[in-house]
Amino acid sequence: MKKLIIFAFIGFLAQLIDGSLGMAYGVTSTSLLLAFGMSPAIASASVHLSEVVTTAASGVSHIKFGNVDKKMVYRLIIPGSIGAFIGATFLSNIPGELVKPYVSIFLLALGIYVVIRFLVLYKPSEEKKGTRLSVKQSIPLGFIAGFFDATGGGGWGPIATPVLLSKNGMTARKVVGTVDTSEFAIAVSATLGFFISLGWEAVQWQWVIALMIGGIIAAPIAAWLVRIIPAHLMGVSVGGFIVLTNSRTLLHTWVANEQLYPYIYGTIIILWVGAIFLTINKFKHVEKASKAA
């Protein structure tokens, strides 16, 4: 019973982060399941099954609060669903950890770019300017994000969110809402792929239900939070989270000396917190200037 309560809390926390930052439900939940001894394929299958419900709740909440760009959702879900289905089938036969470090390098670079963009280059007037991701650009993005989401137990948000944030045509809250809403189709497609390859009996249903309950409770809270958090503060928060999570993957893959981990994590966290404080301070100055004008 205690384990189920812990899983429900993890589901709540993971969805709260995912719904407000556009990522981390799969990464958080899958990491927990792997820590309890599940194989990567079964862990990813269980997480994606719970995401069918949590992403539906999150999508409805984001639509209600006006956080969704429906055109972008339609552009992403078809290639994303195809990529997720293929990724689920692939993971059932080959360990997804094989390519994970190389994806993490790409994500780490994107995370650093997002932090710099929202900390240094961002201007409030940018929110309604620029161009959205084109159809030709959204097809490979959707496919790659869907594929790695299924093989890594999480990746739709960490890949899709920073790429969309790097464009000037969408506000940060709409990027988060769009990514979360489109993730429902990816979760359904990945789940089908896992069930065809592994069978229903492989899923740990009690853990899945606990994750679902926690995620459903958190979904409307996260959708509300994303409306009140300033765009540039959200961008720096998302970017820092991307850097931290992918640094962990790279350290565990290529750095054997675990004694260095606390120092590296500490440095990243200090820089991240510092960037957030600088962003808050910048926001206060911009707000004062706009009031004075």
Side-chain angles (χ1 to χ4, degrees), residues 116-284:
I116 293 172
R117 178 178 180 271
F118 281 90
L119 180 61
V120 180
L121 308 175
Y122 175 81
K123 295 179 181 179
S125 59
E126 285 184 358
E127 288 194 0
K128 294 184 180 179
K129 295 181 179 180
T131 56
R132 287 175 173 80
L133 212 66
S134 68
V135 175
K136 289 183 179 180
Q137 292 172 323
S138 62
I139 290 173
L141 171 63
F143 181 85
I144 292 169
F147 180 85
F148 286 113
D149 186 84
T151 55
W156 179 255
I159 294 176
T161 298
V163 171
L164 292 180
L165 280 172
S166 69
K167 306 290 287 184
N168 292 336
M170 293 175 67
T171 62
R173 71 177 179 87
K174 283 211 169 184
V175 167
V176 172
T178 299
V179 170
D180 266 20
T181 302
S182 60
E183 193 171 9
F184 170 74
I186 280 65
V188 171
S189 186
T191 299
L192 288 174
F194 281 121
F195 283 158
I196 291 171
S197 302
L198 299 174
W200 291 82
E201 64 277 0
V203 177
Q204 298 289 335
W205 288 97
Q206 68 274 21
W207 293 0
V208 170
I209 292 170
L211 289 171
M212 284 180 180
I213 293 171
I216 290 170
I217 295 171
I221 300 173
W224 171 74
L225 280 175
V226 81
R227 286 184 60 85
I228 64 173
I229 301 174
H232 49 295
L233 179 57
M234 188 183 302
V236 171
S237 299
V238 170
F241 189 85
I242 295 166
V243 171
L244 184 63
T245 53
N246 289 286
S247 295
R248 179 183 180 278
T249 300
L250 295 174
L251 284 175
H252 282 268
T253 304
W254 288 327
V255 180
N257 188 357
E258 295 185 3
Q259 293 181 348
L260 294 175
Y261 291 4
Y263 299 102
I264 297 173
Y265 288 144
T267 301
I268 293 171
I269 290 170
I270 289 170
L271 291 173
W272 184 17
V273 172
I276 290 173
F277 274 108
L278 285 173
T279 304
I280 293 172
N281 190 49
K282 181 181 178 181
F283 176 70
K284 287 180 180 178

